[in-house]
Coordinates of all heavy atoms in Angstrom, one line a residue:
M1 N -23.0 2.4 -14.3 CA -22.2 1.5 -13.6 C -23.1 0.8 -12.5 O -23.9 1.4 -11.9 CB -21.0 2.2 -12.8 CG -19.9 2.5 -13.7 SD -18.4 3.0 -12.8 CE -18.9 4.6 -12.2
A2 N -22.8 -0.5 -12.3 CA -23.4 -1.2 -11.3 C -22.8 -1.1 -9.9 O -21.6 -0.6 -9.8 CB -23.5 -2.7 -11.7
T3 N -23.5 -1.4 -8.9 CA -22.9 -1.4 -7.5 C -22.7 -2.8 -7.1 O -23.5 -3.7 -7.3 CB -23.9 -0.7 -6.5 OG1 -24.2 0.6 -7.0 CG2 -23.4 -0.7 -5.1
Y4 N -21.5 -3.0 -6.5 CA -21.1 -4.4 -6.1 C -20.7 -4.4 -4.6 O -20.2 -3.4 -4.1 CB -19.9 -4.9 -6.9 CG -20.3 -5.1 -8.3 CD1 -20.1 -4.1 -9.2 CD2 -20.8 -6.3 -8.7 CE1 -20.4 -4.3 -10.6 CE2 -21.1 -6.5 -10.0 CZ -20.9 -5.5 -11.0 OH -21.2 -5.8 -12.3
L5 N -21.1 -5.5 -3.9 CA -20.7 -5.7 -2.5 C -19.6 -6.8 -2.6 O -19.8 -7.9 -3.2 CB -21.8 -6.2 -1.7 CG -21.5 -6.4 -0.2 CD1 -21.1 -5.2 0.5 CD2 -22.7 -7.0 0.5
I6 N -18.4 -6.5 -2.1 CA -17.3 -7.4 -2.1 C -17.0 -7.9 -0.7 O -16.9 -7.1 0.2 CB -16.0 -6.8 -2.7 CG1 -16.3 -6.3 -4.1 CG2 -14.9 -7.8 -2.7 CD1 -16.6 -4.9 -4.2
E7 N -16.9 -9.2 -0.5 CA -16.6 -9.8 0.8 C -15.1 -10.2 0.7 O -14.7 -11.0 -0.2 CB -17.5 -11.0 1.1 CG -17.1 -11.7 2.4 CD -18.0 -12.9 2.6 OE1 -19.1 -12.7 3.1 OE2 -17.6 -14.0 2.2
R8 N -14.3 -9.7 1.6 CA -12.9 -10.0 1.6 C -12.6 -10.7 2.9 O -12.7 -10.2 4.0 CB -12.0 -8.8 1.5 CG -12.3 -7.9 0.3 CD -11.4 -6.7 0.2 NE -11.8 -5.7 -0.8 CZ -11.6 -5.8 -2.1 NH1 -11.1 -6.9 -2.6 NH2 -12.0 -4.9 -2.9
E9 N -12.2 -12.0 2.9 CA -11.8 -12.8 4.1 C -10.4 -12.4 4.4 O -9.5 -12.8 3.7 CB -12.0 -14.2 3.8 CG -13.4 -14.7 3.6 CD -13.6 -16.1 3.4 OE1 -12.7 -16.9 3.7 OE2 -14.7 -16.5 2.9
I10 N -10.3 -11.7 5.6 CA -9.0 -11.3 6.1 C -8.9 -11.6 7.6 O -9.5 -10.8 8.4 CB -8.7 -9.8 5.8 CG1 -8.8 -9.5 4.3 CG2 -7.4 -9.4 6.4 CD1 -8.7 -8.0 4.0
P11 N -8.4 -12.8 7.9 CA -8.3 -13.1 9.4 C -7.7 -12.0 10.2 O -6.7 -11.5 9.9 CB -7.5 -14.4 9.4 CG -7.6 -15.0 8.0 CD -7.8 -13.8 7.1
G12 N -8.4 -11.7 11.3 CA -8.0 -10.6 12.2 C -8.2 -9.2 11.7 O -7.6 -8.3 12.2
A13 N -9.0 -9.1 10.7 CA -9.3 -7.7 10.1 C -9.7 -6.7 11.2 O -9.3 -5.5 11.1 CB -10.3 -7.8 9.0
G14 N -10.5 -7.1 12.1 CA -10.9 -6.2 13.2 C -9.8 -5.7 14.1 O -10.0 -4.8 14.8
N15 N -8.7 -6.4 14.0 CA -7.5 -6.0 14.9 C -6.5 -5.2 14.1 O -5.4 -4.9 14.7 CB -6.8 -7.3 15.5 CG -7.8 -8.0 16.4 OD1 -8.5 -7.4 17.2 ND2 -7.8 -9.3 16.4
L16 N -6.7 -4.9 12.8 CA -5.8 -4.1 12.1 C -5.7 -2.7 12.7 O -6.7 -2.1 13.0 CB -6.2 -4.0 10.6 CG -6.2 -5.3 9.8 CD1 -6.9 -5.2 8.4 CD2 -4.7 -5.8 9.6
S17 N -4.5 -2.2 12.7 CA -4.2 -0.9 13.3 C -4.7 0.2 12.2 O -4.9 -0.1 11.1 CB -2.7 -0.7 13.6 OG -2.0 -0.6 12.4
N18 N -4.8 1.4 12.7 CA -5.1 2.5 11.8 C -4.1 2.6 10.7 O -4.4 2.9 9.6 CB -5.2 3.8 12.6 CG -6.5 3.9 13.4 OD1 -7.5 3.2 13.1 ND2 -6.5 4.7 14.4
D19 N -2.8 2.4 11.1 CA -1.7 2.5 10.1 C -1.8 1.4 9.0 O -1.6 1.6 7.8 CB -0.3 2.4 10.7 CG 0.1 3.7 11.4 OD1 -0.6 4.8 11.1 OD2 1.0 3.7 12.3
Q20 N -2.2 0.2 9.5 CA -2.4 -0.9 8.5 C -3.6 -0.6 7.6 O -3.5 -0.9 6.4 CB -2.6 -2.2 9.3 CG -1.3 -2.7 10.0 CD -1.6 -3.9 10.9 OE1 -2.5 -3.8 11.7 NE2 -0.9 -5.0 10.7
L21 N -4.7 -0.1 8.2 CA -5.9 0.2 7.3 C -5.5 1.3 6.4 O -6.0 1.3 5.2 CB -7.0 0.6 8.2 CG -7.6 -0.6 9.1 CD1 -8.6 0.0 10.1 CD2 -8.2 -1.6 8.2
K22 N -4.7 2.3 6.8 CA -4.3 3.4 5.9 C -3.5 2.8 4.8 O -3.7 3.2 3.6 CB -3.5 4.4 6.7 CG -3.0 5.6 5.8 CD -2.3 6.6 6.7 CE -1.9 7.8 5.8 NZ -1.2 8.8 6.6
S23 N -2.6 1.9 5.1 CA -1.7 1.3 4.0 C -2.6 0.5 3.0 O -2.4 0.6 1.8 CB -0.7 0.4 4.7 OG 0.1 -0.2 3.7
I24 N -3.5 -0.3 3.5 CA -4.4 -1.0 2.6 C -5.2 0.0 1.7 O -5.4 -0.3 0.5 CB -5.4 -1.9 3.4 CG1 -4.6 -3.1 4.1 CG2 -6.5 -2.5 2.6 CD1 -5.4 -3.8 5.2
S25 N -5.7 1.0 2.3 CA -6.5 2.0 1.6 C -5.6 2.7 0.5 O -6.1 3.0 -0.6 CB -7.0 3.1 2.6 OG -7.9 2.5 3.5
Q26 N -4.4 3.0 0.9 CA -3.5 3.7 -0.1 C -3.2 2.7 -1.3 O -3.2 3.2 -2.4 CB -2.2 4.1 0.6 CG -2.4 5.3 1.5 CD -1.1 5.6 2.3 OE1 -0.3 4.7 2.6 NE2 -1.0 6.8 2.8
T27 N -3.0 1.4 -1.0 CA -2.8 0.5 -2.1 C -4.0 0.4 -3.0 O -3.9 0.5 -4.2 CB -2.5 -0.9 -1.5 OG1 -1.3 -0.8 -0.7 CG2 -2.3 -2.0 -2.6
S28 N -5.2 0.3 -2.4 CA -6.4 0.3 -3.1 C -6.6 1.5 -4.0 O -6.9 1.4 -5.2 CB -7.6 0.1 -2.2 OG -8.8 0.1 -2.9
C29 N -6.4 2.7 -3.4 CA -6.6 3.9 -4.2 C -5.6 4.0 -5.4 O -5.9 4.5 -6.4 CB -6.4 5.1 -3.3 SG -7.8 5.3 -2.2
S30 N -4.3 3.5 -5.1 CA -3.3 3.5 -6.2 C -3.8 2.7 -7.4 O -3.7 3.1 -8.5 CB -2.0 3.1 -5.6 OG -1.0 3.0 -6.6
V31 N -4.3 1.5 -7.0 CA -4.7 0.6 -8.1 C -6.0 1.2 -8.8 O -6.0 1.1 -10.0 CB -5.1 -0.8 -7.5 CG1 -5.8 -1.7 -8.5 CG2 -3.8 -1.5 -7.0
L32 N -6.9 1.8 -8.0 CA -8.0 2.4 -8.7 C -7.6 3.5 -9.6 O -8.2 3.6 -10.7 CB -9.0 3.0 -7.6 CG -9.7 2.0 -6.7 CD1 -10.4 2.6 -5.5 CD2 -10.7 1.2 -7.6
N33 N -6.7 4.3 -9.2 CA -6.2 5.4 -10.1 C -5.6 4.8 -11.4 O -5.8 5.4 -12.5 CB -5.1 6.2 -9.4 CG -5.7 7.1 -8.3 OD1 -6.9 7.5 -8.4 ND2 -4.9 7.5 -7.3
N34 N -4.9 3.7 -11.3 CA -4.3 3.1 -12.5 C -5.4 2.5 -13.4 O -5.3 2.4 -14.6 CB -3.3 2.0 -12.1 CG -2.0 2.7 -11.6 OD1 -1.7 3.8 -11.9 ND2 -1.3 2.0 -10.7
L35 N -6.5 1.9 -12.8 CA -7.6 1.3 -13.6 C -8.4 2.3 -14.3 O -9.1 2.0 -15.3 CB -8.4 0.4 -12.7 CG -7.8 -0.9 -12.2 CD1 -8.7 -1.6 -11.2 CD2 -7.5 -1.8 -13.4
G36 N -8.5 3.6 -13.8 CA -9.2 4.6 -14.4 C -10.6 4.9 -13.7 O -10.9 4.3 -12.7
P37 N -11.3 5.8 -14.3 CA -12.5 6.3 -13.6 C -13.7 5.4 -13.7 O -14.8 5.7 -13.1 CB -12.8 7.6 -14.4 CG -12.3 7.4 -15.8 CD -11.1 6.5 -15.5
E38 N -13.6 4.3 -14.4 CA -14.8 3.4 -14.5 C -15.1 2.6 -13.2 O -16.1 2.0 -13.0 CB -14.6 2.4 -15.6 CG -14.6 3.0 -17.0 CD -14.5 1.9 -18.0 OE1 -13.7 0.9 -17.9 OE2 -15.3 2.0 -19.0
I39 N -14.1 2.6 -12.2 CA -14.3 1.8 -11.0 C -14.1 2.8 -9.8 O -13.2 3.6 -9.8 CB -13.4 0.6 -10.9 CG1 -13.6 -0.2 -9.6 CG2 -11.9 1.0 -11.1 CD1 -12.9 -1.5 -9.5
K40 N -15.0 2.7 -8.9 CA -15.0 3.7 -7.7 C -15.2 2.9 -6.4 O -16.1 2.1 -6.4 CB -16.0 4.7 -7.8 CG -15.8 5.7 -9.0 CD -16.9 6.7 -9.0 CE -16.9 7.6 -10.3 NZ -15.8 8.2 -10.8
W41 N -14.4 3.2 -5.4 CA -14.6 2.6 -4.1 C -15.5 3.6 -3.3 O -15.1 4.8 -3.2 CB -13.3 2.4 -3.4 CG -13.2 2.0 -2.0 CD1 -14.2 1.3 -1.3 CD2 -12.2 2.2 -1.1 NE1 -13.8 1.1 0.0 CE2 -12.5 1.7 0.1 CE3 -11.0 2.9 -1.2 CZ2 -11.7 1.7 1.3 CZ3 -10.1 2.9 -0.1 CH2 -10.5 2.3 1.1
L42 N -16.6 3.1 -2.8 CA -17.5 4.0 -2.0 C -17.2 3.9 -0.5 O -17.1 5.0 0.1 CB -19.0 3.6 -2.3 CG -19.4 3.7 -3.8 CD1 -20.8 3.3 -3.9 CD2 -19.1 5.0 -4.4
Q43 N -17.2 2.7 0.0 CA -16.9 2.6 1.5 C -16.6 1.1 1.8 O -16.9 0.2 1.0 CB -18.0 3.1 2.3 CG -19.3 2.4 2.1 CD -20.5 3.2 2.7 OE1 -20.3 4.3 3.3 NE2 -21.7 2.7 2.6
S44 N -16.1 0.9 3.0 CA -15.9 -0.5 3.5 C -16.3 -0.6 4.9 O -16.2 0.4 5.7 CB -14.4 -0.9 3.3 OG -14.1 -0.9 1.9
Y45 N -16.6 -1.8 5.3 CA -17.0 -2.1 6.7 C -16.1 -3.2 7.2 O -16.0 -4.3 6.6 CB -18.4 -2.6 6.8 CG -19.4 -1.6 6.2 CD1 -19.8 -1.6 4.9 CD2 -20.0 -0.6 7.1 CE1 -20.7 -0.7 4.4 CE2 -20.9 0.3 6.6 CZ -21.3 0.3 5.2 OH -22.1 1.2 4.8
V46 N -15.4 -3.0 8.3 CA -14.4 -3.9 8.8 C -15.1 -4.7 10.0 O -15.6 -4.1 10.9 CB -13.1 -3.2 9.3 CG1 -12.1 -4.2 9.9 CG2 -12.5 -2.4 8.2
T47 N -15.1 -6.0 9.9 CA -15.6 -6.9 10.9 C -14.4 -7.7 11.5 O -13.3 -7.5 11.1 CB -16.7 -7.8 10.4 OG1 -16.2 -8.7 9.5 CG2 -17.8 -6.9 9.8
N48 N -14.7 -8.7 12.3 CA -13.7 -9.5 12.9 C -12.7 -10.1 11.9 O -11.5 -9.9 12.0 CB -14.3 -10.5 13.8 CG -13.3 -11.3 14.7 OD1 -12.4 -10.6 15.2 ND2 -13.5 -12.5 14.8
D49 N -13.2 -10.8 11.0 CA -12.4 -11.5 10.0 C -12.7 -11.3 8.6 O -12.3 -12.0 7.7 CB -12.5 -13.1 10.3 CG -11.9 -13.5 11.6 OD1 -10.8 -13.0 11.9 OD2 -12.5 -14.3 12.3
K50 N -13.4 -10.2 8.3 CA -13.8 -9.8 6.9 C -13.9 -8.3 6.8 O -14.1 -7.6 7.7 CB -15.1 -10.5 6.5 CG -15.1 -12.0 6.5 CD -16.4 -12.5 6.1 CE -16.4 -14.0 6.1 NZ -17.6 -14.7 5.8
I51 N -13.7 -7.9 5.5 CA -13.9 -6.5 5.2 C -14.9 -6.6 4.0 O -14.8 -7.3 3.1 CB -12.7 -5.8 4.8 CG1 -11.7 -5.7 5.9 CG2 -13.0 -4.4 4.3 CD1 -10.4 -5.0 5.6
Y52 N -16.0 -5.8 4.2 CA -17.1 -5.8 3.2 C -17.0 -4.4 2.5 O -17.0 -3.4 3.1 CB -18.5 -5.9 3.8 CG -18.7 -7.3 4.4 CD1 -18.4 -7.5 5.8 CD2 -19.2 -8.3 3.7 CE1 -18.6 -8.7 6.4 CE2 -19.4 -9.6 4.3 CZ -19.1 -9.7 5.6 OH -19.3 -11.0 6.2
C53 N -16.8 -4.4 1.2 CA -16.5 -3.2 0.4 C -17.7 -2.9 -0.6 O -18.2 -3.9 -1.1 CB -15.2 -3.3 -0.3 SG -13.8 -3.6 0.7
V54 N -18.0 -1.7 -0.8 CA -19.0 -1.3 -1.7 C -18.3 -0.5 -2.8 O -17.6 0.5 -2.6 CB -20.1 -0.4 -1.1 CG1 -21.2 0.0 -2.1 CG2 -20.7 -1.1 0.1
Y55 N -18.5 -1.0 -4.1 CA -17.8 -0.4 -5.2 C -18.8 -0.2 -6.3 O -19.8 -0.8 -6.4 CB -16.8 -1.4 -5.8 CG -15.4 -1.3 -5.1 CD1 -15.3 -1.8 -3.8 CD2 -14.3 -0.8 -5.8 CE1 -14.1 -1.8 -3.2 CE2 -13.1 -0.8 -5.1 CZ -13.0 -1.3 -3.9 OH -11.7 -1.2 -3.2
K56 N -18.5 0.8 -7.2 CA -19.2 1.0 -8.5 C -18.2 0.6 -9.6 O -17.1 0.9 -9.5 CB -19.6 2.5 -8.7 CG -20.6 3.0 -7.7 CD -21.9 2.9 -8.3 CE -23.0 3.7 -7.5 NZ -24.3 3.4 -7.9
A57 N -18.7 -0.3 -10.5 CA -17.9 -0.7 -11.6 C -18.8 -1.2 -12.7 O -19.9 -1.5 -12.5 CB -17.0 -1.9 -11.1
P58 N -18.2 -1.3 -13.9 CA -19.0 -1.7 -15.1 C -19.3 -3.2 -15.1 O -20.3 -3.7 -15.7 CB -18.2 -1.3 -16.3 CG -16.8 -1.2 -15.8 CD -16.9 -0.8 -14.3
N59 N -18.5 -4.0 -14.4 CA -18.7 -5.5 -14.4 C -17.9 -6.1 -13.2 O -16.9 -5.4 -12.7 CB -18.2 -6.1 -15.7 CG -16.8 -5.7 -16.1 OD1 -15.9 -5.9 -15.4 ND2 -16.7 -5.0 -17.2
P60 N -18.2 -7.3 -12.8 CA -17.4 -8.0 -11.7 C -16.0 -8.3 -12.1 O -15.1 -8.3 -11.2 CB -18.2 -9.2 -11.4 CG -19.1 -9.5 -12.6 CD -19.3 -8.1 -13.3
E61 N -15.7 -8.4 -13.3 CA -14.3 -8.7 -13.7 C -13.4 -7.6 -13.3 O -12.2 -7.8 -13.0 CB -14.2 -9.0 -15.3 CG -14.9 -10.3 -15.7 CD -16.4 -10.2 -15.8 OE1 -17.0 -9.1 -15.9 OE2 -17.0 -11.3 -15.7
M62 N -13.8 -6.3 -13.4 CA -13.0 -5.2 -13.0 C -12.8 -5.2 -11.5 O -11.7 -4.9 -11.1 CB -13.6 -3.9 -13.5 CG -12.7 -2.7 -13.2 SD -13.3 -1.2 -14.0 CE -12.3 -1.4 -15.6
I63 N -13.7 -5.6 -10.8 CA -13.6 -5.8 -9.3 C -12.5 -6.8 -9.0 O -11.6 -6.6 -8.2 CB -14.9 -6.2 -8.6 CG1 -16.0 -5.2 -8.9 CG2 -14.7 -6.5 -7.2 CD1 -15.9 -3.9 -8.1
L64 N -12.6 -7.9 -9.7 CA -11.6 -9.0 -9.5 C -10.2 -8.5 -9.9 O -9.2 -8.9 -9.3 CB -12.0 -10.2 -10.2 CG -13.3 -10.9 -9.7 CD1 -13.7 -12.0 -10.6 CD2 -13.1 -11.4 -8.3
E65 N -10.1 -7.8 -11.0 CA -8.8 -7.2 -11.5 C -8.2 -6.3 -10.4 O -7.0 -6.3 -10.1 CB -8.9 -6.5 -12.8 CG -7.7 -6.0 -13.4 CD -6.6 -7.0 -13.8 OE1 -6.9 -8.2 -13.6 OE2 -5.5 -6.6 -14.2
H66 N -9.0 -5.4 -9.8 CA -8.6 -4.5 -8.8 C -8.0 -5.3 -7.6 O -7.0 -5.0 -7.1 CB -9.8 -3.7 -8.3 CG -9.5 -2.9 -7.1 ND1 -9.9 -3.3 -5.8 CD2 -8.9 -1.7 -6.9 CE1 -9.5 -2.4 -4.9 NE2 -8.9 -1.4 -5.5
A67 N -8.7 -6.4 -7.2 CA -8.2 -7.2 -6.1 C -6.9 -7.9 -6.5 O -6.0 -8.0 -5.7 CB -9.3 -8.3 -5.8
R68 N -6.8 -8.4 -7.7 CA -5.6 -9.1 -8.1 C -4.4 -8.1 -8.1 O -3.3 -8.4 -7.5 CB -5.8 -9.7 -9.5 CG -4.6 -10.5 -10.0 CD -4.7 -10.9 -11.4 NE -4.6 -9.8 -12.4 CZ -3.4 -9.2 -12.7 NH1 -2.3 -9.7 -12.2 NH2 -3.4 -8.3 -13.6
L69 N -4.6 -7.0 -8.7 CA -3.5 -6.0 -8.7 C -3.2 -5.4 -7.3 O -2.0 -5.1 -7.1 CB -3.9 -4.8 -9.7 CG -4.0 -5.2 -11.1 CD1 -4.6 -4.0 -11.9 CD2 -2.7 -5.6 -11.7
G70 N -4.1 -5.3 -6.5 CA -3.9 -4.8 -5.1 C -3.3 -5.9 -4.2 O -2.8 -5.5 -3.1
G71 N -3.5 -7.2 -4.5 CA -3.0 -8.2 -3.7 C -3.8 -8.5 -2.5 O -3.4 -9.0 -1.5
F72 N -5.1 -8.3 -2.6 CA -6.1 -8.6 -1.5 C -7.2 -9.4 -2.1 O -7.5 -9.4 -3.3 CB -6.6 -7.4 -0.8 CG -6.7 -6.1 -1.6 CD1 -7.7 -5.9 -2.5 CD2 -5.7 -5.1 -1.5 CE1 -7.8 -4.8 -3.2 CE2 -5.8 -4.0 -2.2 CZ -6.9 -3.8 -3.1
P73 N -7.9 -10.2 -1.2 CA -8.9 -11.2 -1.7 C -10.2 -10.5 -2.1 O -10.5 -9.4 -1.6 CB -9.1 -12.1 -0.4 CG -8.8 -11.2 0.7 CD -7.7 -10.3 0.3
A74 N -10.9 -11.1 -2.9 CA -12.3 -10.8 -3.3 C -13.0 -12.1 -3.3 O -13.2 -12.7 -4.4 CB -12.4 -10.1 -4.6
N75 N -13.3 -12.6 -2.1 CA -13.9 -14.0 -2.0 C -15.3 -14.1 -2.6 O -15.7 -15.2 -3.0 CB -13.9 -14.4 -0.5 CG -12.5 -14.4 0.0 OD1 -12.1 -13.4 0.6 ND2 -11.7 -15.4 -0.2
L76 N -16.1 -13.0 -2.5 CA -17.4 -13.0 -3.0 C -17.7 -11.6 -3.6 O -17.5 -10.6 -2.9 CB -18.4 -13.4 -2.0 CG -19.9 -13.5 -2.4 CD1 -20.1 -14.6 -3.4 CD2 -20.7 -13.7 -1.2
V77 N -18.2 -11.6 -4.8 CA -18.5 -10.3 -5.5 C -20.0 -10.5 -5.9 O -20.4 -11.3 -6.7 CB -17.7 -10.0 -6.7 CG1 -18.1 -8.8 -7.4 CG2 -16.2 -10.0 -6.3
S78 N -20.8 -9.6 -5.3 CA -22.3 -9.7 -5.5 C -22.8 -8.3 -6.0 O -22.5 -7.3 -5.5 CB -23.1 -10.0 -4.2 OG -22.6 -11.3 -3.7
E79 N -23.6 -8.4 -7.1 CA -24.2 -7.1 -7.6 C -25.3 -6.8 -6.7 O -26.2 -7.6 -6.3 CB -24.6 -7.3 -9.1 CG -25.1 -6.0 -9.7 CD -25.5 -6.1 -11.1 OE1 -25.1 -7.2 -11.8 OE2 -26.0 -5.1 -11.7
V80 N -25.4 -5.5 -6.4 CA -26.5 -4.9 -5.6 C -27.6 -4.5 -6.6 O -27.3 -3.6 -7.4 CB -26.0 -3.8 -4.7 CG1 -27.2 -3.2 -4.0 CG2 -24.9 -4.3 -3.8
F81 N -28.8 -5.0 -6.4 CA -29.9 -4.6 -7.3 C -30.8 -3.6 -6.7 O -31.4 -2.7 -7.4 CB -30.7 -5.9 -7.7 CG -30.0 -6.8 -8.5 CD1 -29.5 -8.0 -7.9 CD2 -29.6 -6.6 -9.8 CE1 -28.7 -8.9 -8.7 CE2 -28.9 -7.5 -10.6 CZ -28.5 -8.6 -10.0
T82 N -31.0 -3.6 -5.4 CA -31.8 -2.6 -4.7 C -31.3 -2.4 -3.3 O -30.7 -3.3 -2.7 CB -33.3 -3.2 -4.6 OG1 -33.7 -3.5 -5.9 CG2 -34.2 -2.2 -3.9
I83 N -31.5 -1.2 -2.8 CA -31.1 -0.8 -1.4 C -32.4 -0.5 -0.7 O -33.2 0.2 -1.2 CB -30.2 0.4 -1.4 CG1 -28.8 0.0 -2.1 CG2 -29.9 0.8 0.1 CD1 -27.9 1.2 -2.3
I84 N -32.5 -1.1 0.5 CA -33.7 -0.8 1.3 C -33.2 -0.4 2.7 O -32.1 -0.6 3.1 CB -34.6 -2.1 1.5 CG1 -33.9 -3.2 2.2 CG2 -35.2 -2.5 0.1 CD1 -34.8 -4.4 2.5
D85 N -34.0 0.4 3.3 CA -33.7 0.9 4.7 C -35.1 1.1 5.4 O -36.1 0.8 4.8 CB -32.9 2.2 4.6 CG -33.5 3.3 3.9 OD1 -34.8 3.4 3.9 OD2 -32.8 4.2 3.4
P86 N -35.1 1.7 6.6 CA -36.3 1.9 7.3 C -37.4 2.7 6.6 O -38.6 2.5 6.7 CB -35.9 2.5 8.6 CG -34.5 2.0 8.8 CD -33.9 2.0 7.5
T87 N -36.9 3.6 5.7 CA -37.9 4.4 5.0 C -38.6 3.6 3.9 O -39.7 4.0 3.4 CB -37.2 5.6 4.3 OG1 -36.3 5.1 3.3 CG2 -36.5 6.5 5.3
T88 N -38.1 2.4 3.5 CA -38.8 1.5 2.6 C -40.2 1.1 3.1 O -41.1 0.8 2.4 CB -37.9 0.3 2.3 OG1 -36.6 0.7 1.8 CG2 -38.5 -0.6 1.2
A89 N -40.3 1.0 4.5 CA -41.5 0.6 5.1 C -42.6 1.7 5.0 O -43.8 1.4 5.3 CB -41.3 0.2 6.6
D90 N -42.2 2.9 4.8 CA -43.2 4.0 4.7 C -44.1 3.9 3.5 O -43.8 3.5 2.5 CB -42.5 5.3 4.8 CG -41.8 5.6 6.1 OD1 -42.1 4.9 7.1 OD2 -40.9 6.4 6.1

């Protein structure tokens, strides 16, 4: 499976309450369970007006199907080819 970074434009995302984030997460997990084990949500980062999510999936179409079924945006889906961090400099 490939790794994908998904950009979701959600105005005011940084102001969502814990209960709202929990509800969004529950919806996402429910859709993931229905789609099967080929797609996995690893983590998400909430910023002011966007949520950036990291997923494992066989193709970008499955990411878009997850978004469609969940009712949330997937404005940009990018495949991650390499991960670098400070240890890359060593």
